[in-house]
Amino acid sequence: MLQHEILPDSSCSVERSFEILGGAWTFLVLREAVFENVVQFDNFQSNLGIARESLKRVLNRLVRNGVMYHRPLAPGGLRKGYFLTEQGRDLLPALVAALNWGEVWASEGPTPERLTHKQCGRALEQAVVCSHCHVPVDPRDVSFTSKIRNRSKGREKFAKMRYVEQTLLERQRPSSIARTMATIGDPWSFLIIRECFYGIRRFDAFQQRLSIASNILTARLKRLLAAGVLRTQPVADQPHLSEYRLTEKGMALYAVPLTIIAWGDKWLAGTNGPPLILTHKRCGHVFSAELRCRSCDVGITLDDVEYQALA
């Protein structure tokens, strides 16, 4: 488990990352852009079955924050498309982490999509590793120090990012990424999971640190319990109270927020530098997430990946 305490601040790159990427539809739009090279609004809409207004909000947010840019499909043309920037292409590790978790922990039959490494032809499994020792990351092997001092004042921007049922996310086709996002794919669930990795366990502590309304927090915790990501147990010295603990299924989610945090540190931290310094206790080095093929021990970029929808 992550060791040390953190008081999140909405101006830091951690919070900014979740503001930009929070929302299940965002990950599915990125899946279409990153893996399927979709650029046209109508194709995003028909491939996902997403409401047009919802899609417009997602795409505008990604353009506004530098993940995509909007330009004519052809020089001088009137029709425009949405294209990934380098910042957007660099979200590959987060998508791979979401796909890997969905394959292992949210499987409902045959794998609905596959990522393979073109060089060796093997599936990319447990591909998020420590950049120094190339070992898949385990939250129990990571500690951190924090530069963050101020608690968030609330997140009005999250109000429009609603929880989306899995049946809607998979309306057009089954997807491991969709199944992961159905579990943690709204910003509040992401942030609750993040706090669990920081060692937060009590309802009042979640509420204080996240500035979240009690009814929203109650609903999200119930959903995470039902999904098997969290469990409750009595507090040791106050058995009439309960605390929330990550299950093994929940612990396995670690690569998803970790890759998002790493992306935010790289693209959003600015001159202040990363707000969190992670240390991999196993090798003793500063931890940086890397996408690596574990079959042939080679670093992976988007050009090295072949995606296939199987259903």
Side-chain angles (χ1 to χ4, degrees):
M1 183 69 63
L2 284 174
Q3 296 179 348
H4 201 290
E5 286 255 340
I6 173 176
L7 293 176
D9 184 290
S10 60
S11 64
C12 80
S13 60
V14 173
E15 294 292 307
R16 289 284 294 124
S17 299
F18 285 96
E19 287 179 3
I20 295 168
L21 302 176
W25 286 123
T26 305
F27 266 70
L28 294 188
V29 167
L30 288 168
R31 180 198 68 191
E32 294 297 303
V34 172
F35 294 139
E36 303 277 37
N37 298 313
V38 174
V39 297
Q40 295 190 51
F41 185 96
D42 287 345
N43 290 342
F44 281 115
Q45 200 276 326
S46 61
N47 287 0
L48 297 174
I50 180 176
R52 295 182 72 85
E53 285 302 311
S54 297
L55 176 59
K56 190 180 298 182
R57 280 196 298 269
V58 170
L59 290 170
N60 286 346
R61 176 163 27 91
L62 294 174
V63 169
R64 189 168 59 249
N65 290 284
V67 177
M68 287 181 161
Y69 62 98
H70 197 205
R71 67 164 173 79
L73 294 170
L78 296 178
R79 299 185 65 190
K80 292 184 176 182
Y82 295 86
F83 297 85
L84 291 165
T85 62
E86 282 304 307
Q87 184 174 325
R89 288 171 60 86
D90 203 35
L91 281 163
L92 175 65
L95 289 169
V96 173
L99 189 149
N100 284 171
W101 189 86
E103 283 182 334
V104 175
W105 295 100
S107 176
E108 298 177 1
T111 299
E113 53 198 336
R114 177 183 297 142
L115 278 179
T116 56
H117 181 205
K118 292 178 183 177
Q119 179 173 313
C120 69
R122 300 288 186 88
L124 286 177
E125 299 173 347
Q126 286 190 301
V128 179
V129 302
C130 171
S131 61
H132 180 78
C133 65
H134 303 169
V135 171
V137 65
D138 184 309
R140 289 158 287 212
D141 292 335
V142 178
S143 62
F144 74 93
T145 55
S146 171
K147 303 178 186 177
I148 305 169
R149 295 291 178 264
N150 300 316
R151 183 171 60 85
S152 298
K153 302 297 183 183
R155 301 176 179 82
E156 293 79 4
K157 294 180 181 179
F158 288 179
K160 294 182 180 179
M161 301 180 193
R162 306 291 186 182
Y163 173 76
V164 185
E165 297 286 347
Q166 182 177 327
T167 52
L168 291 178
L169 296 174
E170 294 190 297
R171 176 185 287 166
Q172 300 303 92
R173 72 172 191 263
S175 166
S176 296
I177 294 175
R179 292 168 187 176
T180 300
M181 291 299 107
T183 304
I184 59 165
D186 69 274
W188 288 123
S189 296
F190 258 119
L191 292 170
I192 290 167
I193 290 296
R194 185 197 67 180
E195 293 299 316
C196 289
F197 284 120
Y198 293 153
I200 299 304
R201 296 170 181 168
R202 301 279 291 274
F203 186 98
D204 55 349
F206 285 119
Q207 191 170 25
Q208 180 183 12
R209 290 165 65 88
L210 295 177
S211 297
I212 181 174
S214 59
N215 63 317
I216 296 175
L217 177 57
T218 297
R220 296 305 189 275
L221 288 172
K222 283 183 177 179
R223 189 176 294 126
L224 292 170
L225 287 168
V229 170
L230 297 181
R231 60 181 174 84
T232 58
Q233 70 177 45
V235 177
D237 57 345
Q238 297 175 292
H240 60 289
L241 297 176
S242 294
E243 61 185 17
Y244 297 88
R245 299 284 189 118
L246 289 162
T247 62
E248 284 302 311
K249 183 177 182 179
M251 293 287 257
L253 274 168
Y254 185 52
V256 181
L258 181 71
T259 51
I260 293 174
I261 289 170
W263 178 83
D265 287 347
K266 178 176 179 179
W267 294 100
L268 306 174
T271 57
N272 292 329
L276 300 176
I277 305 299
L278 302 174
T279 300
H280 192 201
K281 293 185 287 186
R282 183 158 181 168
C283 67
H285 286 75
V286 172
F287 179 84
S288 177
E290 178 178 286
L291 199 59
R292 199 168 190 89
C293 176
R294 300 199 62 224
S295 296
C296 58
D297 197 28
V298 172
I300 299 294
T301 68
L302 183 53
D303 295 331
D304 302 320
V305 172
E306 183 177 80
Y307 173 83
Q308 184 180 11
L310 302 177

